[in-house]
Each structure stands twice: as structure tokens, then as C-alpha cells.
Amino acid sequence: MKKRHFTEKEKKLIGWAAIVIFVVFTAAVCWFVGRPMGNFVSEPEKFRLWVESHGLWSRAAYVGMVFLQVLVAVIPGEPLEISGGYAFGAVQGTVLCMLGAFLGSVVVFAFVRRFGRELVEIFFPKEKIESLRFLQSSPKRDLLFWIVFVVPGTPKDLLCYFAGLTDLSWGKWLLICSLGRVPSIITSTVGGSAVGGRQYLFAILVFAGTMALSAVGLLIYRGLCRRHEKKQGGET
């Protein structure tokens, strides 16, 4: 299938549409979730009862928010993951977050396969895209992709978009984008659940551990990128 080319006007429209979605998304979360959460800040049990009172709709809305977060890319994912644990508990929050992230990752992969690099460049600068070229050319590409994706702290939204530019098979991508997110999502939802259960010391330990893992993950990611850049520089 021939990839469609975007005009500069279309790129700007898509970019502005993403910004508008982000603003509307943030306002909706603050109004529908942040407001009641603030009212029940000293009584998290009541907030969970409020969530339960909305039944399936509250879960569908949360899955939709996570889906949108992956799709728009500029929306940070960690606050949503933590709020999922706070509202639904560690197990249910993890499952719902995984579902939304999985659906978002599948749609992004399909869109990039259809529209190509021009779509990725709307959301990410060329420098960041080029920094991941080693995932496209390395003979150990699949393993590297898995490592970079599974380590907390790496830019998973960028990886989702970049994956569509490679010849990664659908089967491998579905495995990576589902299981690869487990470590980072679990740490966030467990921490959020601990806050909701007033286990503040445990929550602090979880978040501190997550920050440490994320820092290590970011160092690994940057190290791989620098190694690639040096290798490319030596070949030129």
C-alpha cells in the first residue's frame, strides 16, 4: 500500500489537533476525576466507592484515557498509571492500564505503517527518531527493541511510533507492546494503590524504587543511543 504524504498544512493541523486533544483531555480528567479525588483526598475509600458507583463506565473511561495518552504521545503516562492503581487497586488498575496501552500501541503501529515517517515527525523531532536507527539496522534488533521497551524510564511513546517504521512483524510487536510495559505499569499502579490504601511509607518506597529504575533505564537508553551515534560517525 502506497504511503500517503502530508502537506505542511496537514502536518500543522494534525499537530494542533493533538494539542487541542491534550488540553481537552487534561480538562476532562481534572473535572471528572481530579475534582472528586480532591473531595475525598482524606478519605480514599470513599473515592473508590465513588468509582465503583459508576460501574463499567468508569473502567471504560479509564481505558479510553490510557488509549488516548498513547495515541497523542504528548500526554505523560505515569500520572494515569498511578491514578489507575489509586482508583481501582493494583490488580484491576494494572489490567485496565495494560488494555488501554495495548490498544493504543496497536493503533499507533497501524497508523505509522499506513502513513510512514511523516506521521512520526509530527509528534517527534527528527533527532529523536534518528537516535533509534540502531533498532532498525542491528542484527540483534528484536532483542534490543525488547530491552529498550521493557526497561522503565525509556520513551515508550516514541518507541511505539518508531516501531511502525521497522519491518517488525505484527506478532513480535504485539508481544513487545503488551508484556514489555508490565514492569513500569505495575510499579506505578502498586504505588497508586498503596496511596489509596494509606500505606504511605510503602508508596514512598515504591515510587523511590521506580525513580531509581527509571534513572538507570534512561542511562541505558542514552548509552545505546550514544553508542549508535559513535558507530555511525566512525562509518562516515
Side-chain angles (χ1 to χ4, degrees):
M1 184 183 292
K2 187 178 180 180
K3 288 183 172 61
R4 187 183 185 284
H5 292 287
F6 293 103
T7 64
E8 288 302 316
K9 184 178 180 179
E10 287 174 329
K11 288 182 179 180
K12 289 181 179 179
L13 285 174
I14 295 173
W16 276 109
I19 294 173
V20 171
I21 291 172
F22 173 67
V23 172
V24 172
F25 168 85
T26 303
V29 170
C30 290
W31 179 258
F32 292 108
V33 181
R35 192 166 51 93
M37 186 181 289
N39 294 334
F40 301 132
V41 67
S42 61
E43 300 174 294
E45 298 85 358
K46 288 189 177 181
F47 175 72
R48 287 184 173 178
L49 288 174
W50 177 84
V51 171
E52 286 296 328
S53 70
H54 289 76
L56 184 62
W57 287 110
S58 63
R59 288 148 180 81
Y62 178 71
V63 170
M65 287 190 291
V66 177
F67 169 85
L68 183 61
Q69 179 271 318
V70 176
L71 198 65
V72 176
V74 296
I75 304 172
E78 288 76 10
L80 264 181
E81 295 168 4
I82 294 171
S83 64
Y86 184 94
F88 303 105
V91 176
Q92 190 174 171
T94 296
V95 172
L96 294 173
C97 191
M98 288 283 295
L99 177 59
F102 176 79
L103 294 175
S105 300
V106 169
V107 170
V108 166
F109 190 79
F111 276 8
V112 176
R113 281 285 168 91
R114 171 66 180 87
F115 298 108
R117 178 166 174 149
E118 288 189 340
L119 177 64
V120 185
E121 290 180 352
I122 292 174
F123 298 101
F124 302 100
K126 294 181 180 180
E127 295 76 18
K128 286 191 175 182
I129 301 171
E130 288 297 321
S131 70
L132 291 177
R133 286 286 298 276
F134 67 93
L135 292 176
Q136 204 167 24
S137 57
S138 173
K140 297 180 180 178
R141 188 273 313 276
D142 295 349
L143 176 61
L144 283 172
F145 214 109
W146 170 262
I147 291 173
V148 173
F149 204 85
V150 79
V151 173
T154 54
K156 291 176 178 54
D157 292 338
L158 171 58
L159 290 166
C160 281
Y161 274 85
F162 185 82
L165 299 176
T166 71
D167 61 354
L168 198 68
S169 68
W170 267 101
K172 289 179 180 178
W173 172 240
L174 293 178
L175 184 64
I176 291 172
C177 75
S178 55
L179 298 182
R181 289 184 181 272
V182 171
S184 60
I185 288 179
I186 285 182
T187 53
S188 295
T189 53
V190 167
S193 179
V195 173
R198 299 187 181 184
Q199 298 173 305
Y200 300 121
L201 178 59
F202 179 64
I204 291 173
L205 292 174
V206 170
F207 290 139
T210 302
M211 289 178 64
L213 285 174
S214 297
V216 172
L218 190 58
L219 287 174
I220 293 173
Y221 168 74
R222 288 179 176 175
L224 287 171
C225 291
R226 282 196 297 268
R227 182 180 177 184
H228 163 71
E229 290 173 358
K230 288 180 180 179
K231 186 176 179 181
Q232 288 294 104
E235 291 176 355
T236 56

